[in-house]
Amino acid sequence: MTVRKNQAQLTADEKRRFVNALLALKRNGRYDTFVTTHNAFIMSDTDNGDRVGHRSPSFLPWHRRFLIQFEQALQSVDRSVALPYWDWTADRTTSSSLWAADFLGGTGRARDGQVMDGPFAASSGGWAVNVRVDGRTFLRRALGAGGRQLPTRADVESVLAMSTYDAPPWNSASDGFRNHLEGWRGVNLHNRVHVWVGGQMATGVSPNDPVFWLHHAFIDKLWADWQRRHPDSAYLPTAGTPNVVDLRESMRPWTDVTPADMLDHRPHYTYDTAA
């Protein structure tokens, strides 16, 4: 069984294996297919039209499936690799081990945001940004620029306390756990972290930055935490809702998975904090 661990607890060998698997997927072209898929859904998901991966109830099950597929791709390179998660309520600074040169590398330089150290820096030669929103082919970051702050544990607790999964109008104006976790309302969890990292993470091609996967693994963990706290709070909506994915409706781009299929992560992986 795959166990997803807090990145702060990874051994040097686990970090090395994870990084090497990422670089292998980049070399064989599979990595960029995930970037392309994510960007396509960012561009097509709208508040008043069809929405699947974002601004909608299926934000969480869609990304759960997306991460499972990516994790399986990593494991096709190295069976020992699991997606780590980044608990940004604890590892909150640019000096966290996450950003060390032996793992993800640090922030970008002032003039253009280019990441200058670590295995994903342009100078390392193995991480060209091919799926992009502009002409720049290097990984960019601006960690905490402008005095931005990551969400706190109190922020997370306030969202985990919400007992309703989602509510009409089922978009970025909704009041419920999903939308507050996604970050369009309230204390802003998921979206705020993307903006705090900056660079490609603040765009539709955010998976160009490997931290995308660690961030979303933590978002997924928070969903699992919420499910344990509210066992009687179901996925909504259940049926007959225009423009969004109901409980037993298939999610694009897949034809073989519904939100109902993704409600329980345990057949696929566990977390290191599981009881």
Side-chain angles (χ1 to χ4, degrees):
M1 170 62 71
T2 295
V3 179
R4 294 183 179 175
K5 296 172 63 174
N6 187 324
Q7 63 81 27
Q9 304 304 317
L10 295 180
T11 66
D13 183 61
E14 286 170 330
K15 289 181 182 181
R16 180 182 59 80
R17 287 177 175 271
F18 177 64
V19 166
N20 286 345
L22 289 169
L23 293 171
L25 291 183
K26 186 68 167 175
R27 285 193 300 271
N28 68 26
R30 293 183 69 186
Y31 193 98
D32 286 349
T33 67
F34 287 92
V35 184
T36 298
T37 295
H38 188 268
N39 190 48
F41 279 85
I42 281 278
M43 298 303 293
S44 64
D45 292 329
T46 63
D47 271 346
N48 299 311
D50 190 38
R51 49 199 182 274
V52 180
H54 309 85
R55 301 171 175 264
S56 64
S58 51
F59 166 73
L60 291 168
W62 190 93
H63 280 86
R64 179 166 282 177
R65 174 58 179 262
F66 192 56
L67 265 64
I68 288 170
Q69 285 200 318
F70 186 73
E71 191 166 55
Q72 290 170 342
L74 291 171
Q75 290 169 347
S76 73
V77 176
D78 184 338
R79 292 180 62 185
S80 73
V81 171
L83 279 177
Y85 64 88
W86 168 30
D87 180 354
W88 26 254
T89 70
D91 294 305
R92 304 176 49 78
T93 72
T94 59
S95 60
S96 296
S97 61
L98 176 70
W99 309 115
D102 69 342
F103 198 25
L104 300 190
T107 195
R109 63 186 179 188
R111 74 169 184 265
D112 59 5
Q114 182 175 168
V115 172
M116 301 302 292
D117 67 339
F120 309 105
S123 59
S124 298
W127 203 257
V129 173
N130 302 311
V131 184
R132 51 188 185 264
V133 293
D134 56 36
R136 290 172 287 185
T137 61
F138 48 83
L139 181 62
R140 292 180 291 110
R141 293 184 185 131
L143 304 182
R148 295 186 178 94
Q149 298 292 315
L150 290 165
T152 65
R153 190 66 214 180
D155 292 334
V156 167
E157 290 297 327
S158 71
V159 174
L160 291 178
M162 298 178 177
S163 60
T164 300
Y165 178 79
D166 211 338
W170 317 110
N171 60 18
S172 67
S174 298
D175 193 19
F177 166 74
R178 184 276 310 169
N179 198 35
H180 284 258
L181 178 59
E182 189 173 355
W184 299 109
R185 291 194 65 177
V187 294
N188 184 354
L189 299 182
H190 158 266
N191 289 347
R192 195 189 336 173
V193 177
H194 275 271
V195 174
W196 185 90
V197 175
Q200 282 93 0
M201 270 287 279
T203 74
V205 295
S206 49
N208 274 309
D209 193 329
V211 79
F212 171 93
W213 307 104
L214 285 75
H215 170 39
H216 271 275
F218 189 54
I219 293 296
D220 184 82
K221 182 182 181 298
L222 292 179
W223 182 25
D225 292 344
W226 179 85
Q227 289 175 303
R228 284 196 303 274
R229 292 193 190 190
H230 305 279
D232 298 322
S233 297
Y235 178 93
L236 295 170
T238 56
T241 315
N243 295 326
V244 301
V245 183
D246 294 317
L247 177 63
R248 302 195 183 279
E249 190 175 358
S250 64
M251 294 186 290
R252 293 184 293 107
W254 313 286
T255 59
D256 62 344
V257 63
T258 69
D261 297 326
M262 290 288 103
L263 296 183
D264 187 358
H265 68 280
R266 293 170 298 179
H268 307 280
Y269 54 87
T270 60
Y271 284 102
D272 57 355
T273 56

